Amino acid sequence: MKILPYQPDKSGLAYSVGTTLDRFIKLKQSDFPFASGELSQLLRDIALASKIVNRETTRAGLSNIGGAFGQVNVQGEEQQKLDVIANIRFMRALSKGGEVCAIVSEEEDSVIDLQNSSGKYVVAIDPLDGSSNIDVNISIGTIFSIYRRKTPAGSPIQREDIMQAGTEQVAAGYVLYGSSTMLVYTTGCGVNGFTYEQSLGEFFLSHPNIQAPKIGEIYSVNEGSQKEWEEGVKAYVNLCKERRYSARYIGSLVADFHRNLLKGGIYLYPATKRNPSGKLRLLYEANALAFIAEQAGGMATDGNQRILEIQPTTLHQRTPLLIGSSDMVEEAESMISSLSLKSLL
Ligand code: F6P
């Protein structure tokens, strides 16, 4: 009997499909301080739910799941049917997986206790962000943060397990349901992006080690609220215009953030007179994207403070957010803080 070592094919007849998300998570498991495999399973559960949500969103126009659900969520926003569907999908995947003890979701008023006190992780999630864009076929996303609980597994969930600053995240990511569907995540060792291959039902590594350009030429902000901004924000946006930067605003946070992460740019959702704390939510929007931005070499601030260092006090707390290329965010932050200081003098 002859035994031969495996020789990878060089004929070019069957090109390699690349690295699947599953395989990548497994390969990188040892980078993670608590490499027990549970976090890896949790990431796989999120990926599975996102594939299902991807299926639902891509056929929304055909299956009567577009439009409003007829209820208003805790944010006072009208829930879309797909918001509710995505929430059910992620909740189900996370509760069946067994690694998670509690979930904070944009769609739920309270913390959801999964009655699985042996779970070591807490997930904060916006199951479907930018959902008002669904009916007009514009990119939407899922955003998630993963924390390790502070109290010992086996004991009831406590406030300290939930109210953790962004610096405590052990992993975070987003799924962008766009012209292609992508999952981008970090476990604190860089940022990697995976593109969904529909016919194989798998995410493949397409954007390894994403690095945010230090500076870009895009600014993204809802200029309809300009009158309500503080002077520093007005001054910074004017500077962007003087420099002939491009204004790009989809109104779907994940999509705006993703574009700027790859191309270089700044996204701003500042405080306004109407919303003095901004609009975006700290626990399941800003923190995850701030972690990713920093891991890619970018920056995220509320105008005065690093997003990741904000100590949350309420579940659905809002925060102003300036995020993206480090030089741009730094410049915007310094203009905001120096001009707000002047107005106090
Ligand atoms: O999370 C809410 C959200 O829909 C984000 O996705 C988006 O960036 C933002 O609100 C848009 O808000 P506005 O319509 O006020 O610009």
Side-chain angles (χ1 to χ4, degrees):
M1 183 180 71
K2 229 171 134 185
I3 299 180
L4 289 173
Y6 168 66
Q7 297 287 346
D9 173 72
K10 293 205 177 82
S11 69
L13 284 174
Y15 68 91
S16 160
V17 289
T19 308
T20 63
L21 174 66
D22 258 13
R23 198 174 286 166
F24 186 85
I25 289 174
K26 208 166 166 203
L27 282 171
K28 295 287 172 186
Q29 196 166 295
S30 55
D31 282 356
F32 182 66
F34 321 95
S36 61
E38 288 161 334
L39 181 75
S40 302
Q41 185 53 45
L42 205 172
L43 287 168
R44 286 191 208 105
D45 294 337
I46 289 178
L48 172 64
S50 73
K51 287 180 195 175
I52 302 173
V53 170
N54 175 64
R55 185 190 65 187
E56 322 260 31
T57 54
T58 48
R59 61 177 199 198
L62 296 172
S63 53
N64 194 29
I65 51 172
F69 179 57
Q71 282 185 22
V72 168
N73 68 13
V74 65
Q75 326 294 334
E77 291 162 359
E78 191 176 49
Q79 279 182 312
Q80 305 295 304
K81 284 185 205 157
L82 265 163
D83 281 327
V84 180
I85 292 171
N87 191 43
I88 296 170
R89 292 290 180 197
F90 281 102
M91 289 273 175
R92 190 177 285 155
L94 292 171
S95 73
K96 288 205 165 154
E99 286 77 26
V100 179
C101 57
I103 301 177
V104 177
S105 164
E106 188 195 20
E107 303 305 328
E108 307 281 350
D109 297 10
S110 317
V111 177
I112 302 299
D113 181 346
L114 293 183
Q115 309 284 301
N116 165 39
S117 64
S118 61
K120 296 191 184 110
Y121 294 96
V122 170
V123 171
I125 190 163
D126 183 350
L128 210 55
D129 183 65
S131 53
S132 60
N133 285 324
I134 297 164
D135 292 349
V136 283
N137 219 344
I138 288 174
S139 301
I140 44 182
T142 295
I143 309 174
F144 61 92
S145 286
I146 304 174
Y147 295 85
R148 218 174 141 84
R149 63 182 295 179
K150 292 286 180 193
T151 55
S155 59
I157 299 151
Q158 303 292 329
R159 188 180 162 82
E160 65 195 277
D161 297 322
I162 310 295
M163 296 296 176
Q164 300 192 47
T167 44
E168 300 296 302
Q169 290 171 101
V170 292
Y174 60 82
V175 184
L176 171 62
Y177 310 96
S179 49
S180 58
T181 295
M182 278 194 73
L183 188 150
V184 175
Y185 83 94
T186 182
T187 52
C189 301
V191 179
N192 291 285
F194 299 79
T195 300
Y196 186 56
E197 220 295 12
Q198 195 107 21
S199 64
L200 297 174
E202 291 276 11
F203 283 102
F204 285 93
L205 181 64
S206 52
H207 296 64
N209 193 22
I210 296 174
Q211 298 290 323
K214 263 174 86 65
I215 189 158
E217 299 199 337
I218 296 172
Y219 72 99
S220 310
V221 65
N222 184 343
E223 292 201 66
S225 308
Q226 189 167 6
K227 279 198 170 154
E228 295 192 41
W229 298 340
E230 52 186 307
E231 292 311 311
V233 179
K234 285 184 190 162
Y236 180 73
V237 171
N238 281 336
L239 188 67
C240 291
K241 290 179 188 175
E242 273 163 32
R243 292 180 180 155
R244 308 294 303 268
Y245 288 171
S246 294
R248 294 282 182 274
Y249 189 72
I250 297 169
S252 195
L253 176 59
V254 174
D256 280 311
F257 173 78
H258 182 73
R259 181 201 51 241
N260 294 356
L261 179 71
L262 298 188
K263 293 193 166 184
I266 182 170
Y267 172 97
L268 307 96
Y269 208 111
T272 60
K273 284 187 189 128
R274 238 177 313 170
N275 295 316
S277 306
K279 177 185 183 193
L280 302 173
R281 276 50 60 106
L282 177 63
L283 280 183
Y284 41 81
E285 291 181 315
N287 270 342
L289 300 186
F291 190 19
I292 292 169
E294 288 197 5
Q295 282 294 313
M299 194 177 153
T301 172
D302 68 356
N304 296 298
Q305 187 182 3
R306 187 178 165 219
I307 291 288
L308 294 181
E309 286 175 0
I310 301 173
Q311 178 56 50
T313 51
T314 59
L315 217 49
H316 299 284
Q317 181 169 334
R318 296 174 192 267
T319 177
L321 177 66
L322 286 75
I323 192 166
S325 294
S326 54
D327 285 2
M328 301 174 89
V329 177
E330 214 169 82
E331 188 175 30
E333 186 183 54
S334 83
M335 288 178 81
I336 290 171
S337 46
S338 66
L339 282 173
S340 58
L341 198 66
K342 255 191 206 160
S343 69
L344 290 176
L345 295 174

PDB file of all heavy atoms in Angstrom, residues 30 33 65 98 101 116 136 148 150 153 155 163 182 186 206 240 253 282 289 291-292 300 338 340:
ATOM      1  N   SER A  30      -7.569  30.938  20.523  1.00  0.00           N
ATOM      2  CA  SER A  30      -6.535  31.056  21.552  1.00  0.00           C
ATOM      3  C   SER A  30      -6.104  32.505  21.792  1.00  0.00           C
ATOM      4  O   SER A  30      -5.456  32.814  22.784  1.00  0.00           O
ATOM      5  CB  SER A  30      -5.326  30.215  21.175  1.00  0.00           C
ATOM      6  OG  SER A  30      -4.922  30.615  19.894  1.00  0.00           O
ATOM      7  N   PRO A  33      -8.678  35.729  25.903  1.00  0.00           N
ATOM      8  CA  PRO A  33      -8.229  35.381  27.248  1.00  0.00           C
ATOM      9  C   PRO A  33      -8.975  34.226  27.918  1.00  0.00           C
ATOM     10  O   PRO A  33      -8.408  33.495  28.708  1.00  0.00           O
ATOM     11  CB  PRO A  33      -8.411  36.680  28.049  1.00  0.00           C
ATOM     12  CG  PRO A  33      -9.159  37.618  27.188  1.00  0.00           C
ATOM     13  CD  PRO A  33      -9.023  37.147  25.777  1.00  0.00           C
ATOM     14  N   ILE A  65     -43.726  41.141   5.157  1.00  0.00           N
ATOM     15  CA  ILE A  65     -43.166  41.420   6.482  1.00  0.00           C
ATOM     16  C   ILE A  65     -42.535  42.811   6.511  1.00  0.00           C
ATOM     17  O   ILE A  65     -41.783  43.139   7.400  1.00  0.00           O
ATOM     18  CB  ILE A  65     -42.150  40.351   6.950  1.00  0.00           C
ATOM     19  CG1 ILE A  65     -41.094  40.092   5.879  1.00  0.00           C
ATOM     20  CG2 ILE A  65     -42.854  39.077   7.355  1.00  0.00           C
ATOM     21  CD1 ILE A  65     -39.973  39.194   6.347  1.00  0.00           C
ATOM     22  N   GLY A  98     -26.981  28.721  24.998  1.00  0.00           N
ATOM     23  CA  GLY A  98     -26.614  28.364  26.368  1.00  0.00           C
ATOM     24  C   GLY A  98     -25.439  29.113  26.972  1.00  0.00           C
ATOM     25  O   GLY A  98     -25.115  28.907  28.134  1.00  0.00           O
ATOM     26  N   CYS A 101     -26.450  34.628  29.707  1.00  0.00           N
ATOM     27  CA  CYS A 101     -27.414  34.623  30.809  1.00  0.00           C
ATOM     28  C   CYS A 101     -28.444  35.743  30.672  1.00  0.00           C
ATOM     29  O   CYS A 101     -29.565  35.611  31.154  1.00  0.00           O
ATOM     30  CB  CYS A 101     -26.704  34.704  32.159  1.00  0.00           C
ATOM     31  SG  CYS A 101     -25.638  36.127  32.323  1.00  0.00           S
ATOM     32  N   ASN A 116     -30.789  31.173  32.536  1.00  0.00           N
ATOM     33  CA  ASN A 116     -29.689  30.247  32.315  1.00  0.00           C
ATOM     34  C   ASN A 116     -28.519  30.807  33.114  1.00  0.00           C
ATOM     35  O   ASN A 116     -27.585  31.383  32.568  1.00  0.00           O
ATOM     36  CB  ASN A 116     -29.372  30.204  30.807  1.00  0.00           C
ATOM     37  CG  ASN A 116     -28.043  29.569  30.530  1.00  0.00           C
ATOM     38  OD1 ASN A 116     -27.678  28.594  31.186  1.00  0.00           O
ATOM     39  ND2 ASN A 116     -27.303  30.111  29.568  1.00  0.00           N
ATOM     40  N   VAL A 136     -37.697  50.800   1.840  1.00  0.00           N
ATOM     41  CA  VAL A 136     -37.187  51.469   0.636  1.00  0.00           C
ATOM     42  C   VAL A 136     -35.878  50.817   0.193  1.00  0.00           C
ATOM     43  O   VAL A 136     -35.108  51.403  -0.567  1.00  0.00           O
ATOM     44  CB  VAL A 136     -37.040  52.992   0.859  1.00  0.00           C
ATOM     45  CG1 VAL A 136     -38.387  53.659   0.797  1.00  0.00           C
ATOM     46  CG2 VAL A 136     -36.351  53.315   2.174  1.00  0.00           C
ATOM     47  N   ARG A 148     -18.554  39.772  29.590  1.00  0.00           N
ATOM     48  CA  ARG A 148     -18.526  38.655  30.522  1.00  0.00           C
ATOM     49  C   ARG A 148     -19.206  39.128  31.796  1.00  0.00           C
ATOM     50  O   ARG A 148     -18.967  40.262  32.241  1.00  0.00           O
ATOM     51  CB  ARG A 148     -17.064  38.301  30.814  1.00  0.00           C
ATOM     52  CG  ARG A 148     -16.835  36.821  30.948  1.00  0.00           C
ATOM     53  CD  ARG A 148     -15.358  36.563  31.093  1.00  0.00           C
ATOM     54  NE  ARG A 148     -15.136  35.505  32.041  1.00  0.00           N
ATOM     55  CZ  ARG A 148     -15.181  34.234  31.731  1.00  0.00           C
ATOM     56  NH1 ARG A 148     -15.431  33.842  30.494  1.00  0.00           N
ATOM     57  NH2 ARG A 148     -14.970  33.319  32.656  1.00  0.00           N
ATOM     58  N   LYS A 150     -20.096  39.874  35.621  1.00  0.00           N
ATOM     59  CA  LYS A 150     -19.187  40.167  36.735  1.00  0.00           C
ATOM     60  C   LYS A 150     -19.422  39.216  37.910  1.00  0.00           C
ATOM     61  O   LYS A 150     -18.502  38.879  38.626  1.00  0.00           O
ATOM     62  CB  LYS A 150     -19.394  41.617  37.218  1.00  0.00           C
ATOM     63  CG  LYS A 150     -18.945  42.664  36.204  1.00  0.00           C
ATOM     64  CD  LYS A 150     -17.438  42.743  36.162  1.00  0.00           C
ATOM     65  CE  LYS A 150     -16.955  43.768  35.159  1.00  0.00           C
ATOM     66  NZ  LYS A 150     -15.530  43.667  34.870  1.00  0.00           N
ATOM     67  N   ALA A 153     -20.967  32.727  37.674  1.00  0.00           N
ATOM     68  CA  ALA A 153     -21.982  31.931  36.969  1.00  0.00           C
ATOM     69  C   ALA A 153     -22.718  31.085  38.001  1.00  0.00           C
ATOM     70  O   ALA A 153     -22.119  30.617  38.974  1.00  0.00           O
ATOM     71  CB  ALA A 153     -21.308  31.049  35.929  1.00  0.00           C
ATOM     72  N   SER A 155     -25.183  32.303  39.846  1.00  0.00           N
ATOM     73  CA  SER A 155     -25.917  33.209  40.743  1.00  0.00           C
ATOM     74  C   SER A 155     -26.874  34.080  39.913  1.00  0.00           C
ATOM     75  O   SER A 155     -26.699  34.195  38.695  1.00  0.00           O
ATOM     76  CB  SER A 155     -24.927  34.070  41.530  1.00  0.00           C
ATOM     77  OG  SER A 155     -24.135  34.821  40.636  1.00  0.00           O
ATOM     78  N   MET A 163     -24.580  46.792  33.626  1.00  0.00           N
ATOM     79  CA  MET A 163     -24.123  48.181  33.483  1.00  0.00           C
ATOM     80  C   MET A 163     -22.598  48.243  33.423  1.00  0.00           C
ATOM     81  O   MET A 163     -21.954  48.789  34.322  1.00  0.00           O
ATOM     82  CB  MET A 163     -24.645  49.032  34.653  1.00  0.00           C
ATOM     83  CG  MET A 163     -26.137  49.142  34.674  1.00  0.00           C
ATOM     84  SD  MET A 163     -26.716  50.009  33.200  1.00  0.00           S
ATOM     85  CE  MET A 163     -28.459  49.870  33.445  1.00  0.00           C
ATOM     86  N   MET A 182     -22.461  41.446   5.230  1.00  0.00           N
ATOM     87  CA  MET A 182     -21.147  41.267   5.873  1.00  0.00           C
ATOM     88  C   MET A 182     -21.279  41.201   7.373  1.00  0.00           C
ATOM     89  O   MET A 182     -22.118  41.889   7.956  1.00  0.00           O
ATOM     90  CB  MET A 182     -20.246  42.459   5.551  1.00  0.00           C
ATOM     91  CG  MET A 182     -19.574  42.370   4.210  1.00  0.00           C
ATOM     92  SD  MET A 182     -18.247  43.578   4.127  1.00  0.00           S
ATOM     93  CE  MET A 182     -17.010  42.869   5.206  1.00  0.00           C
ATOM     94  N   THR A 186     -14.797  42.059  16.339  1.00  0.00           N
ATOM     95  CA  THR A 186     -13.511  42.091  17.019  1.00  0.00           C
ATOM     96  C   THR A 186     -13.637  41.359  18.351  1.00  0.00           C
ATOM     97  O   THR A 186     -14.697  41.377  18.978  1.00  0.00           O
ATOM     98  CB  THR A 186     -13.035  43.536  17.277  1.00  0.00           C
ATOM     99  OG1 THR A 186     -11.748  43.477  17.903  1.00  0.00           O
ATOM    100  CG2 THR A 186     -13.977  44.335  18.171  1.00  0.00           C
ATOM    101  N   SER A 206     -13.290  38.085   4.083  1.00  0.00           N
ATOM    102  CA  SER A 206     -13.056  38.892   2.873  1.00  0.00           C
ATOM    103  C   SER A 206     -12.257  40.145   3.201  1.00  0.00           C
ATOM    104  O   SER A 206     -11.628  40.737   2.341  1.00  0.00           O
ATOM    105  CB  SER A 206     -14.400  39.297   2.254  1.00  0.00           C
ATOM    106  OG  SER A 206     -15.224  39.895   3.251  1.00  0.00           O
ATOM    107  N   CYS A 240     -15.329  70.960   7.286  1.00  0.00           N
ATOM    108  CA  CYS A 240     -15.405  69.835   6.326  1.00  0.00           C
ATOM    109  C   CYS A 240     -15.822  70.366   4.951  1.00  0.00           C
ATOM    110  O   CYS A 240     -15.312  69.927   3.918  1.00  0.00           O
ATOM    111  CB  CYS A 240     -16.418  68.789   6.783  1.00  0.00           C
ATOM    112  SG  CYS A 240     -15.895  67.886   8.242  1.00  0.00           S
ATOM    113  N   LEU A 253     -26.998  53.637  10.658  1.00  0.00           N
ATOM    114  CA  LEU A 253     -25.708  53.780  11.342  1.00  0.00           C
ATOM    115  C   LEU A 253     -24.656  52.772  10.879  1.00  0.00           C
ATOM    116  O   LEU A 253     -23.508  53.133  10.609  1.00  0.00           O
ATOM    117  CB  LEU A 253     -25.950  53.653  12.856  1.00  0.00           C
ATOM    118  CG  LEU A 253     -24.733  53.675  13.769  1.00  0.00           C
ATOM    119  CD1 LEU A 253     -23.948  54.956  13.617  1.00  0.00           C
ATOM    120  CD2 LEU A 253     -25.169  53.481  15.230  1.00  0.00           C
ATOM    121  N   LEU A 282     -26.054  53.985  23.976  1.00  0.00           N
ATOM    122  CA  LEU A 282     -24.693  53.626  24.387  1.00  0.00           C
ATOM    123  C   LEU A 282     -24.484  52.115  24.391  1.00  0.00           C
ATOM    124  O   LEU A 282     -23.507  51.610  23.823  1.00  0.00           O
ATOM    125  CB  LEU A 282     -24.428  54.201  25.793  1.00  0.00           C
ATOM    126  CG  LEU A 282     -23.079  53.864  26.405  1.00  0.00           C
ATOM    127  CD1 LEU A 282     -21.934  54.451  25.593  1.00  0.00           C
ATOM    128  CD2 LEU A 282     -23.001  54.360  27.857  1.00  0.00           C
ATOM    129  N   LEU A 289     -19.585  49.845  18.203  1.00  0.00           N
ATOM    130  CA  LEU A 289     -18.887  50.482  17.081  1.00  0.00           C
ATOM    131  C   LEU A 289     -17.618  51.181  17.554  1.00  0.00           C
ATOM    132  O   LEU A 289     -16.610  51.223  16.841  1.00  0.00           O
ATOM    133  CB  LEU A 289     -19.828  51.447  16.355  1.00  0.00           C
ATOM    134  CG  LEU A 289     -21.096  50.787  15.773  1.00  0.00           C
ATOM    135  CD1 LEU A 289     -21.887  51.790  14.943  1.00  0.00           C
ATOM    136  CD2 LEU A 289     -20.779  49.558  14.927  1.00  0.00           C
ATOM    137  N   PHE A 291     -15.685  50.153  19.989  1.00  0.00           N
ATOM    138  CA  PHE A 291     -14.690  49.089  20.192  1.00  0.00           C
ATOM    139  C   PHE A 291     -14.068  48.713  18.831  1.00  0.00           C
ATOM    140  O   PHE A 291     -12.847  48.604  18.675  1.00  0.00           O
ATOM    141  CB  PHE A 291     -15.394  47.878  20.830  1.00  0.00           C
ATOM    142  CG  PHE A 291     -14.494  46.776  21.327  1.00  0.00           C
ATOM    143  CD1 PHE A 291     -13.143  46.973  21.578  1.00  0.00           C
ATOM    144  CD2 PHE A 291     -15.026  45.509  21.545  1.00  0.00           C
ATOM    145  CE1 PHE A 291     -12.338  45.924  22.044  1.00  0.00           C
ATOM    146  CE2 PHE A 291     -14.234  44.457  22.011  1.00  0.00           C
ATOM    147  CZ  PHE A 291     -12.890  44.670  22.252  1.00  0.00           C
ATOM    148  N   ILE A 292     -14.924  48.564  17.839  1.00  0.00           N
ATOM    149  CA  ILE A 292     -14.435  48.199  16.501  1.00  0.00           C
ATOM    150  C   ILE A 292     -13.563  49.325  15.930  1.00  0.00           C
ATOM    151  O   ILE A 292     -12.468  49.080  15.413  1.00  0.00           O
ATOM    152  CB  ILE A 292     -15.622  47.887  15.561  1.00  0.00           C
ATOM    153  CG1 ILE A 292     -16.290  46.595  16.030  1.00  0.00           C
ATOM    154  CG2 ILE A 292     -15.176  47.764  14.107  1.00  0.00           C
ATOM    155  CD1 ILE A 292     -17.607  46.304  15.386  1.00  0.00           C
ATOM    156  N   ALA A 300     -13.507  57.054  18.870  1.00  0.00           N
ATOM    157  CA  ALA A 300     -14.933  57.331  19.124  1.00  0.00           C
ATOM    158  C   ALA A 300     -15.059  58.125  20.406  1.00  0.00           C
ATOM    159  O   ALA A 300     -14.500  57.747  21.436  1.00  0.00           O
ATOM    160  CB  ALA A 300     -15.713  56.031  19.241  1.00  0.00           C
ATOM    161  N   SER A 338     -13.261  73.109  22.765  1.00  0.00           N
ATOM    162  CA  SER A 338     -12.769  74.475  22.961  1.00  0.00           C
ATOM    163  C   SER A 338     -13.899  75.489  22.777  1.00  0.00           C
ATOM    164  O   SER A 338     -13.999  76.456  23.510  1.00  0.00           O
ATOM    165  CB  SER A 338     -11.568  74.778  22.068  1.00  0.00           C
ATOM    166  OG  SER A 338     -11.963  74.763  20.737  1.00  0.00           O
ATOM    167  N   SER A 340     -17.158  74.960  23.289  1.00  0.00           N
ATOM    168  CA  SER A 340     -18.161  74.923  24.374  1.00  0.00           C
ATOM    169  C   SER A 340     -17.571  75.558  25.634  1.00  0.00           C
ATOM    170  O   SER A 340     -18.276  76.155  26.422  1.00  0.00           O
ATOM    171  CB  SER A 340     -18.715  73.540  24.616  1.00  0.00           C
ATOM    172  OG  SER A 340     -17.708  72.655  24.911  1.00  0.00           O
TER     173      SER A 340
END
